[in-house]
């Protein structure tokens, strides 16, 4: 039974082998026709009324084949109607009618009604099937003759097979391509090319793709038979199915593409010839992309500069490899409007593999895209080294070109409005980004300078354009991100040399590093001056505070706690101690305090300090201490190091009023790692890094350089002395370390402290044969030490020579020592002390001497005394640090040291211990 498709071509009968009742309609026929139409141009080109040529080995097909000459297509998918079946039904009906006549009318009526009912039911169901498309009444040759003829007469071979490989349809072109003798000789694709291994592999992949429901295309070379030339065939396969159902057939399209392949080979050969001509041309040629990678280099240029062509295009050769110095910047910084093609003529040197310069002239052509991005260049290279010696003018041009491009000063010529006419390589590199931005505004050099400094540069160019000389250099900040500075020298061009495009020559020097160094030197000098001032003030204050503390000790010893004035005296002493603490911070900043360094493990020191830090920062702030593994030892004063961490923690707490996180992290940093930080002033060495970071409000960039200055504070009045960070700075510097802050407003602040790694050596420091009590190691003893001193017996006997230039302080110290049982002799300086010793015949048990005194200071006096009495004991007292005068002492000198200010108890304790040692 056939089906009706509204006059359109139906190929459902191709599927009847798998399921006779299945009808696949217009979509399958259209897909085959579409394949034929798409492949039509691949085999040849059709002209109205003219021939269509397609190569099949040595044969040629034309569009004017007669019907008798063309091989007929093979269609095994159709089955015609059965006439015998129709006659059999008719005979059965006639026989039934004759039989009913013999039965009789009365007896035949039920049979007649039953037969009519069966026929009526069959007719009704047939009408429903006909209306729904299940049945059709099309004839054997029904269908769209145009589409049928298009597929039958296509120049591409078309064959349709079922899933078992049986051929359902094959057009005449397929029979021609496969050399089939007739319709009975048609074979499926996989059987036609089974003898060719290369084709068999491709066909296997195609068959596999069809079974998996995929489309696939392959092109293979088929060897010719019987002396015929080989040919190229393109195989395309696609499964045929209704909707998402599994495919029931496979459509193959085979196209002879031999002529296309020959045309491609001809084009390739022509391209090879063109490349050969370009490679061996008498001029060089190269192409470079926007990133500076060489993508092409001809053989002539490669021979000039002695480079291997294999390095080109693989990323192994860059423009900077063949263009030395700043010349590469001239090529990579060419600017133009979007869509423009720009050609620059440049005279510069190329560099050979061995480093020898080759003077050349470049015609550098770059096309810019619609977005303004530069494309790959086309650069012609002319060798100017040839006959250079015989042409003086060319030799002079080469020398000037080398001078112009290789000078360490950026040079540009500008017109009256400042528009750039020519530049050398250094100018292009230094100001490439800014001049490119300025090119959009006309290429003015004024765009290089920051807006605030442009008027000065513009005025200098205007003077040069007017022919004026002796124009003062212009120091200007450069536009763009970051702080960069340049110094511009502007000079006029002589009238006979001046053109419309050039009015002045601008020379530029990048002075960013010079400015940075100047700022660093100024900052260092300022910090040094403030430190010297602070140190001097601290020394004088220590003398005053020592007198006040000594006087309060006398007053406290003369008044009972129940005395009404006792609390006032205690208030004086407490404020004196507070003032002494401020003086110590000033000494720390000026790096003139006394340090007692010792080798320790920072991890253990921080662990001991953790509880104190938690109490200081409060509950709102989370403390996290991260210890590095196997920390190197460092040599620091433990009490001063703790002071550094405490000060930073307190500052971090104040920067996080609503809470936050404080992190203290330690780690080892090798010389290579420390160098990568890039901190100026810090040499590459092994350090232990202590990082203290918070999540607070941060510090503004303009304030970051001032945070280590004494008395500088961002806190409210009355909420800080401004000495916390200056103390940290002084302690770290005096220890030999470095500290660098990093901060971002709203994010937090981090301090990086680098402490030098301590390496044990056999060398020892100059011996000091004194043992200092705990009360002598700091300006003010701790509370428990004060209690121990209060309960200890501080009386003694002996003769003490007290040398002090401050008369009031000397009198108070002498009074205190006398009150403890000592005999005290007084002197105002070193010379007076020598006279006293001569009068007493050297019968002195101990000398207590100031360090800085008029006429003869303490160290000088010690040198003189050691000549006559090498075993004489001495205690130096000073408001300066011990290291400030230690270098002036004789080698191996034995002495003790007591820093000012000190209390009476600390003085007599130091005296008693020194005399007993």
């Amino acid at each position: 039974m056939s089906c009706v498709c509204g006059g359109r071509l139906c190929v459902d009968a191709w599927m009847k082998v798998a399921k006779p009742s299945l009808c696949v309609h217009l979509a399958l026929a259209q897909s085959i026709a579409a394949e034929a139409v798409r492949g039509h141009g691949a085999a040849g080109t059709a002209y109205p009324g003219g021939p269509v040529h397609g190569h099949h080995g040595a044969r040629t097909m034309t569009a004017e084949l007669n019907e008798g000459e063309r091989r007929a297509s093979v269609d095994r998918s159709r089955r015609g109607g059965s006439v015998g079946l129709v006659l059999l039904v008719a005979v059965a009906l006639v026989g039934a009618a004759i039989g009913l006549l013999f039965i009789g009318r009365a007896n035949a009526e039920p049979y007649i009604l039953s037969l009519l009912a069966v026929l009526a039911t069959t007719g009704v169901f047939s009408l429903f099937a006909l209306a729904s498309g299940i049945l059709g009444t099309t004839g054997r040759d029904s269908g769209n003759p145009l589409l049928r003829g298009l597929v039958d007469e296509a120049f591409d071979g078309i064959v349709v097979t079922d899933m078992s490989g049986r051929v359902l349809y094959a057009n005449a072109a397929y029979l021609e391509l496969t050399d089939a003798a007739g319709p009975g000789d048609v074979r499926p694709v996989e059987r036609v090319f089974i003898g060719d291994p290369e084709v068999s592999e491709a066909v296997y992949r195609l068959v596999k793709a069809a079974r998996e429901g995929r489309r696939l295309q392959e092109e293979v070379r088929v060897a010719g038979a019987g002396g015929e030339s080989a040919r190229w065939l393109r195989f395309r396969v696609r499964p045929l199915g209704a909707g998402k159902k599994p495919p029931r057939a496979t459509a193959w399209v085979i196209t002879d593409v031999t002529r296309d392949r020959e045309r491609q080979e001809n084009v390739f050969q022509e391209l090879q010839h063109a490349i050969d001509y370009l490679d061996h041309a008498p001029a060089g040629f190269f192409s470079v992309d926007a990133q500076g990678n060489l993508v092409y280099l001809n053989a002539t240029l490669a021979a000039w500069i002695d480079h291997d062509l294999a390095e080109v295009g693989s990323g192994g050769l860059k423009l900077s490899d063949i263009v030395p110095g700043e010349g590469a910047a001239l090529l990579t910084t060419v600017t133009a409007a979007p869509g423009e093609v720009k050609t620059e003529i440049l005279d510069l040197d190329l560099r050979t593999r061995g480093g020898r310069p080759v003077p050349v002239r470049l015609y550098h052509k770059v096309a810019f895209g619609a977005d303004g991005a530069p494309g790959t260049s086309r650069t012609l290279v002319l060798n100017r080294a040839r006959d250079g010696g015989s042409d003086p003018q060319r030799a002079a041009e080469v020398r000037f070109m080398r001078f112009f491009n290789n000078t360490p000063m950026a040079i540009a010529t500008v017109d009256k409005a400042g528009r750039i006419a020519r530049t050398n390589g250094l100018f292009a590199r230094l100001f490439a980004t800014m001049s490119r931005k300025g090119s959009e505004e006309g290429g003015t050099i004024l765009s290089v300078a920051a807006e605030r400094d442009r008027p000065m540069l513009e005025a200098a160019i205007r003077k040069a354009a007017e022919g004026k000389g002796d124009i003062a250099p212009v120091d200007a900040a450069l536009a763009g991100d970051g702080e960069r500075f340049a110094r511009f020298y502007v000079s006029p061009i002589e009238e006979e040399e001046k053109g419309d495009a050039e009015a002045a020559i601008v020379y530029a020097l990048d002075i960013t590093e010079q400015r940075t160094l100047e700022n660093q030197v100024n900052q260092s000098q300022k910090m040094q001056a403030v430190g010297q001032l602070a140190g001097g003030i601290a020394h004088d204050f220590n003398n005053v505070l020592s007198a006040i503390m000594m006087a309060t000790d006398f007053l406290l010893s003369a008044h009972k706690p129940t005395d009404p004035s006792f609390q006032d005296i205690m208030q004086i002493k407490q404020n004196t101690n507070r003032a002494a603490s401020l003086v110590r911070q000033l000494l720390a900043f000026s790096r003139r305090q006394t340090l007692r360094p010792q080798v320790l493990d920072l991890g253990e020191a921080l662990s001991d300090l953790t509880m104190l830090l938690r109490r200081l920062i409060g509950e709102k702030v989370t403390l996290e201490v991260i210890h590095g593994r196997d920390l190197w030892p460092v040599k620091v004063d433990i009490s001063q190091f703790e002071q550094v961490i405490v000060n930073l923690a307190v500052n971090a707490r104040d920067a996080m009023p609503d809470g936050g996180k404080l992190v203290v992290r330690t780690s080892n940093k090798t010389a290579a790692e420390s160098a990568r930080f890039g901190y100026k002033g810090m040499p590459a060495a092994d350090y232990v890094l202590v990082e203290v970071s918070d999540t607070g409000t941060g510090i503004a960039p303009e304030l970051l350089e001032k945070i280590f200055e004494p008395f500088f504070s961002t806190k409210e009045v009355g909420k800080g002395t401004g000495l916390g960070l200056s103390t940290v700075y002084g302690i770290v510097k005096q220890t030999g370390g470095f500290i660098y802050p990093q901060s971002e407003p709203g994010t937090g602040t981090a301090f990086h402290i680098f402490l030098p790694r301590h390496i044990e050596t056999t060398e020892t420091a100059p011996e000091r044969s004194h043992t200092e009590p705990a009360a002598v190691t700091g300006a003010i003893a701790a509370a428990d030490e004060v209690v121990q001193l209060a309960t200890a017996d501080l009386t003694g006997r002996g003769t003490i020579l007290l040398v002090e230039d401050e008369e009031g302080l000397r009198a108070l110290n002498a009074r205190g020592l006398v009150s403890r049982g000592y005999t005290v002799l007084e002197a105002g300086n070193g010379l007076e002390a020598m006279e006293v010793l001569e009068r007493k015949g050297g019968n002195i048990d101990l000398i207590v001497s100031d360090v800085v005194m008029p006429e003869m200071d303490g160290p000088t006096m010690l040198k003189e005394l050691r000549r006559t009495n090498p075993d004489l004991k001495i205690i130096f007292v000073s408001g300066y640090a011990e290291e400030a005068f230690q270098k002036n002492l004789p080698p191996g000198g034995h002495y003790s040291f007591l820093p000012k200010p000190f209390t009476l108890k600390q003085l007599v304790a130091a005296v008693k211990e020194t005399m007993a040692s």
Side-chain angles (χ1 to χ4, degrees), residues 342-373:
K342 191 169 185 179
T343 301
E344 295 278 354
I345 302 175
L346 303 169
D347 289 331
L348 46 78
D349 280 341
L350 297 184
R351 179 174 54 201
T352 66
R353 185 191 296 270
R356 181 176 56 85
V358 178
V360 296
R361 171 166 290 178
L362 303 182
Y363 292 84
H364 184 65
K365 183 177 181 179
V366 182
F368 291 80
D371 58 350

Short mmCIF file of all heavy atoms in Angstrom, two decimals, residues 342-373:
data_model
loop_
_atom_site.label_atom_id
_atom_site.label_comp_id
_atom_site.label_asym_id
_atom_site.label_seq_id
_atom_site.Cartn_x
_atom_site.Cartn_y
_atom_site.Cartn_z
N LYS A 342 49.18 53.53 9.28
CA LYS A 342 50.25 54.51 9.45
C LYS A 342 51.59 53.90 9.10
O LYS A 342 51.89 52.76 9.47
CB LYS A 342 50.26 55.03 10.89
CG LYS A 342 51.17 56.24 11.09
CD LYS A 342 50.94 56.87 12.45
CE LYS A 342 51.75 58.14 12.61
NZ LYS A 342 51.52 58.78 13.93
N THR A 343 52.41 54.67 8.41
CA THR A 343 53.75 54.23 8.03
C THR A 343 54.77 55.20 8.60
O THR A 343 54.66 56.42 8.40
CB THR A 343 53.90 54.16 6.50
OG1 THR A 343 52.93 53.25 5.99
CG2 THR A 343 55.29 53.68 6.12
N GLU A 344 55.73 54.67 9.34
CA GLU A 344 56.81 55.46 9.92
C GLU A 344 58.12 55.09 9.23
O GLU A 344 58.39 53.91 8.97
CB GLU A 344 56.93 55.18 11.43
CG GLU A 344 55.73 55.63 12.25
CD GLU A 344 55.77 57.11 12.58
OE1 GLU A 344 56.80 57.75 12.26
OE2 GLU A 344 54.80 57.63 13.15
N ILE A 345 58.95 56.10 8.96
CA ILE A 345 60.28 55.89 8.40
C ILE A 345 61.28 56.15 9.52
O ILE A 345 61.36 57.26 10.06
CB ILE A 345 60.54 56.81 7.20
CG1 ILE A 345 59.49 56.57 6.12
CG2 ILE A 345 61.94 56.58 6.64
CD1 ILE A 345 59.60 57.53 4.94
N LEU A 346 62.04 55.11 9.89
CA LEU A 346 62.92 55.19 11.04
C LEU A 346 64.33 54.75 10.65
O LEU A 346 64.51 53.76 9.93
CB LEU A 346 62.41 54.29 12.17
CG LEU A 346 60.98 54.55 12.66
CD1 LEU A 346 60.53 53.41 13.57
CD2 LEU A 346 60.90 55.87 13.39
N ASP A 347 65.30 55.50 11.14
CA ASP A 347 66.70 55.12 10.98
C ASP A 347 67.24 54.68 12.34
O ASP A 347 67.26 55.47 13.30
CB ASP A 347 67.53 56.31 10.47
CG ASP A 347 67.21 56.65 9.02
OD1 ASP A 347 66.84 55.72 8.29
OD2 ASP A 347 67.34 57.82 8.64
N LEU A 348 67.64 53.44 12.43
CA LEU A 348 68.19 52.93 13.68
C LEU A 348 69.10 51.74 13.40
O LEU A 348 69.32 51.36 12.25
CB LEU A 348 67.08 52.57 14.67
CG LEU A 348 65.86 51.75 14.18
CD1 LEU A 348 66.19 50.30 14.04
CD2 LEU A 348 64.69 51.94 15.13
N ASP A 349 69.61 51.16 14.47
CA ASP A 349 70.51 50.01 14.36
C ASP A 349 69.77 48.72 14.69
O ASP A 349 68.97 48.68 15.63
CB ASP A 349 71.69 50.15 15.34
CG ASP A 349 72.76 51.09 14.81
OD1 ASP A 349 72.77 51.33 13.59
OD2 ASP A 349 73.56 51.59 15.61
N LEU A 350 70.05 47.67 13.92
CA LEU A 350 69.67 46.32 14.32
C LEU A 350 70.90 45.67 14.95
O LEU A 350 72.04 46.13 14.79
CB LEU A 350 69.20 45.50 13.13
CG LEU A 350 67.94 45.99 12.41
CD1 LEU A 350 67.54 45.01 11.32
CD2 LEU A 350 66.79 46.20 13.38
N ARG A 351 70.67 44.59 15.69
CA ARG A 351 71.76 43.91 16.39
C ARG A 351 71.86 42.48 15.91
O ARG A 351 70.86 41.75 15.86
CB ARG A 351 71.52 43.95 17.89
CG ARG A 351 72.60 43.23 18.71
CD ARG A 351 72.36 43.46 20.18
NE ARG A 351 71.01 43.08 20.57
CZ ARG A 351 70.40 43.53 21.67
NH1 ARG A 351 71.02 44.37 22.46
NH2 ARG A 351 69.17 43.15 21.96
N THR A 352 73.08 42.08 15.55
CA THR A 352 73.30 40.69 15.15
C THR A 352 73.36 39.80 16.38
O THR A 352 73.37 40.27 17.52
CB THR A 352 74.60 40.56 14.35
OG1 THR A 352 75.71 40.88 15.23
CG2 THR A 352 74.61 41.50 13.17
N ARG A 353 73.40 38.49 16.13
CA ARG A 353 73.49 37.55 17.23
C ARG A 353 74.76 37.79 18.06
O ARG A 353 74.75 37.65 19.29
CB ARG A 353 73.48 36.11 16.71
CG ARG A 353 73.45 35.05 17.80
CD ARG A 353 73.71 33.68 17.19
NE ARG A 353 72.66 33.30 16.27
CZ ARG A 353 71.57 32.63 16.63
NH1 ARG A 353 71.39 32.29 17.90
NH2 ARG A 353 70.66 32.29 15.74
N GLY A 354 75.82 38.21 17.42
CA GLY A 354 77.06 38.47 18.12
C GLY A 354 77.15 39.85 18.74
O GLY A 354 78.17 40.19 19.35
N GLY A 355 76.10 40.69 18.57
CA GLY A 355 76.08 42.01 19.18
C GLY A 355 76.57 43.12 18.29
O GLY A 355 76.66 44.27 18.74
N ARG A 356 76.89 42.84 17.04
CA ARG A 356 77.39 43.88 16.13
C ARG A 356 76.23 44.70 15.59
O ARG A 356 75.21 44.15 15.17
CB ARG A 356 78.16 43.23 14.98
CG ARG A 356 78.76 44.21 13.98
CD ARG A 356 79.58 43.45 12.94
NE ARG A 356 78.79 42.43 12.28
CZ ARG A 356 78.01 42.68 11.22
NH1 ARG A 356 77.92 43.91 10.73
NH2 ARG A 356 77.35 41.69 10.66
N PRO A 357 76.33 46.05 15.59
CA PRO A 357 75.22 46.87 15.07
C PRO A 357 75.18 46.88 13.55
O PRO A 357 76.22 46.87 12.88
CB PRO A 357 75.52 48.26 15.64
CG PRO A 357 77.01 48.28 15.81
CD PRO A 357 77.41 46.87 16.16
N VAL A 358 73.97 46.92 13.00
CA VAL A 358 73.77 47.02 11.56
C VAL A 358 72.86 48.22 11.31
O VAL A 358 71.67 48.18 11.65
CB VAL A 358 73.13 45.74 10.99
CG1 VAL A 358 72.89 45.88 9.49
CG2 VAL A 358 73.99 44.52 11.29
N PRO A 359 73.37 49.32 10.74
CA PRO A 359 72.51 50.49 10.50
C PRO A 359 71.52 50.19 9.38
O PRO A 359 71.89 49.70 8.31
CB PRO A 359 73.51 51.57 10.10
CG PRO A 359 74.69 50.84 9.57
CD PRO A 359 74.77 49.54 10.33
N VAL A 360 70.25 50.50 9.62
CA VAL A 360 69.20 50.22 8.65
C VAL A 360 68.21 51.38 8.64
O VAL A 360 68.16 52.20 9.54
CB VAL A 360 68.45 48.90 8.99
CG1 VAL A 360 69.35 47.71 8.90
CG2 VAL A 360 67.79 48.99 10.35
N ARG A 361 67.43 51.41 7.56
CA ARG A 361 66.27 52.30 7.47
C ARG A 361 65.03 51.43 7.39
O ARG A 361 64.96 50.52 6.55
CB ARG A 361 66.37 53.23 6.26
CG ARG A 361 65.09 54.03 6.00
CD ARG A 361 65.33 55.15 5.03
NE ARG A 361 66.15 56.20 5.65
CZ ARG A 361 66.55 57.30 5.00
NH1 ARG A 361 66.22 57.48 3.74
NH2 ARG A 361 67.30 58.19 5.62
N LEU A 362 64.06 51.71 8.25
CA LEU A 362 62.85 50.90 8.33
C LEU A 362 61.67 51.68 7.78
O LEU A 362 61.48 52.87 8.10
CB LEU A 362 62.55 50.50 9.78
CG LEU A 362 63.64 49.73 10.54
CD1 LEU A 362 63.14 49.39 11.94
CD2 LEU A 362 64.04 48.48 9.81
N TYR A 363 60.87 51.01 6.98
CA TYR A 363 59.56 51.52 6.56
C TYR A 363 58.54 50.67 7.31
O TYR A 363 58.20 49.55 6.90
CB TYR A 363 59.39 51.41 5.04
CG TYR A 363 60.32 52.33 4.27
CD1 TYR A 363 61.63 51.94 3.99
CD2 TYR A 363 59.89 53.58 3.85
CE1 TYR A 363 62.49 52.78 3.29
CE2 TYR A 363 60.75 54.43 3.16
CZ TYR A 363 62.04 54.03 2.89
OH TYR A 363 62.89 54.86 2.21
N HIS A 364 58.08 51.22 8.40
CA HIS A 364 57.28 50.46 9.38
C HIS A 364 55.81 50.81 9.20
O HIS A 364 55.38 51.95 9.47
CB HIS A 364 57.76 50.81 10.79
CG HIS A 364 57.11 50.03 11.88
ND1 HIS A 364 57.26 48.67 12.03
CD2 HIS A 364 56.30 50.42 12.90
CE1 HIS A 364 56.58 48.27 13.08
NE2 HIS A 364 55.98 49.31 13.62
N LYS A 365 55.02 49.84 8.73
CA LYS A 365 53.60 50.06 8.42
C LYS A 365 52.74 49.26 9.39
O LYS A 365 52.93 48.06 9.57
CB LYS A 365 53.32 49.63 6.98
CG LYS A 365 51.89 49.89 6.52
CD LYS A 365 51.71 49.48 5.06
CE LYS A 365 50.30 49.75 4.58
NZ LYS A 365 50.14 49.38 3.15
N VAL A 366 51.80 49.96 10.03
CA VAL A 366 50.91 49.32 11.01
C VAL A 366 49.48 49.73 10.72
O VAL A 366 49.19 50.92 10.52
CB VAL A 366 51.28 49.73 12.46
CG1 VAL A 366 50.38 49.00 13.46
CG2 VAL A 366 52.74 49.41 12.76
N ALA A 367 48.58 48.77 10.68
CA ALA A 367 47.15 49.02 10.51
C ALA A 367 46.47 48.91 11.86
O ALA A 367 46.73 47.97 12.62
CB ALA A 367 46.55 48.03 9.52
N PHE A 368 45.59 49.86 12.15
CA PHE A 368 44.89 49.89 13.43
C PHE A 368 43.44 49.48 13.23
O PHE A 368 42.79 49.87 12.24
CB PHE A 368 44.96 51.30 14.04
CG PHE A 368 46.35 51.68 14.48
CD1 PHE A 368 47.28 52.14 13.57
CD2 PHE A 368 46.72 51.56 15.81
CE1 PHE A 368 48.56 52.48 13.97
CE2 PHE A 368 47.99 51.88 16.22
CZ PHE A 368 48.92 52.35 15.30
N GLY A 369 42.95 48.69 14.16
CA GLY A 369 41.59 48.21 14.08
C GLY A 369 40.58 49.27 14.45
O GLY A 369 40.90 50.40 14.82
N ALA A 370 39.31 48.88 14.39
CA ALA A 370 38.23 49.81 14.72
C ALA A 370 38.28 50.24 16.18
O ALA A 370 37.79 51.31 16.55
CB ALA A 370 36.88 49.18 14.39
N ASP A 371 38.87 49.38 17.04
CA ASP A 371 38.99 49.72 18.45
C ASP A 371 40.29 50.46 18.76
O ASP A 371 40.58 50.73 19.93
CB ASP A 371 38.91 48.46 19.30
CG ASP A 371 39.98 47.43 18.94
OD1 ASP A 371 40.66 47.65 17.90
OD2 ASP A 371 40.13 46.44 19.67
N GLY A 372 41.07 50.78 17.74
CA GLY A 372 42.32 51.49 17.96
C GLY A 372 43.50 50.60 18.28
O GLY A 372 44.62 51.10 18.47
N ALA A 373 43.30 49.28 18.37
CA ALA A 373 44.39 48.37 18.70
C ALA A 373 45.28 48.16 17.47
O ALA A 373 44.77 47.94 16.36
CB ALA A 373 43.84 47.02 19.17
#
